[in-house]
Amino acid sequence: RRQPDLHARELLEPMMNKRSQSGFTLVELMAVVVVAAILLMVTVPSFVSMLARMRIEGSANELTTDLQYARAESLQRGANVTVQITTGGTGYTVTCAGCSSTIKTVNLSSGITVAGGPVTFSSLRGMSTSNADVNFALTSVATTASLTVTVPANSGSVQLCGSGIPGYSSC
């Protein structure tokens, strides 16, 4: 057998002893975790607030639609129809004077509360029977933003205004 010459052996030996390493060092991994934690601390509160604003907006739009529905029902049934907040402000009901059952019950999204009301729509013209504007204020524990649904005095129209939610006039 022929012995490899010394020069070739010197060249191959460092390559044979060298280990191939892949992956991350502990320091690199910790740096990534720290950066991810900082990003989460910055983005999570604004994301939670955005979701709360969207829930308020959805609930306000639903209440607006239900107020218009209550007005239409008062004309169709020939009876006064009332929209009233449930105990705790977690929803509202639509009821008819002289009807045997509730027309509609709505439970708001988790964390959303409503205060104000009630409003009654007349069976004669579908107008609010109140001599003052009736307000329904929707709020959330997760944000300072709010929306208010207003039924103006002696009117059947519904208006929406807000605070902290883009696209709505301030109240």
Side-chain angles (χ1 to χ4, degrees), residues 18-143:
K18 187 174 184 181
R19 291 184 187 160
S20 149
Q21 292 183 352
S22 62
F24 301 105
T25 66
L26 184 58
V27 172
E28 291 170 330
L29 184 60
M30 291 305 292
V32 169
V33 168
V34 167
V35 169
I38 291 170
L39 287 174
L40 282 174
M41 287 180 0
V42 169
T43 59
V44 167
S46 62
F47 183 71
V48 169
S49 181
M50 180 194 67
L51 285 177
R53 287 191 306 270
M54 290 175 68
R55 284 188 182 121
I56 290 172
E57 191 171 16
S59 296
N61 288 330
E62 183 177 15
L63 176 57
T64 299
T65 301
D66 287 339
L67 287 165
Q68 293 167 345
Y69 169 72
R71 179 181 185 220
E73 284 295 305
S74 70
L75 294 170
Q76 181 181 353
R77 293 174 184 248
N80 289 355
V81 174
T82 301
V83 177
Q84 184 169 349
I85 305 304
T86 57
T87 304
T90 59
Y92 55 90
T93 58
V94 180
T95 57
C96 171
C99 298
S100 59
S101 63
T102 299
I103 298 172
K104 186 175 185 178
T105 300
V106 175
N107 293 315
L108 299 175
S109 297
S110 177
I112 305 296
T113 57
V114 61
V119 64
T120 301
F121 294 97
S122 166
S123 61
L124 298 177
R125 298 184 313 160
M127 303 292 192
S128 166
T129 59
S130 175
N131 290 328
D133 293 353
V134 178
N135 295 312
F136 295 89
L138 292 112
T139 58
S140 171
V141 295
T143 183

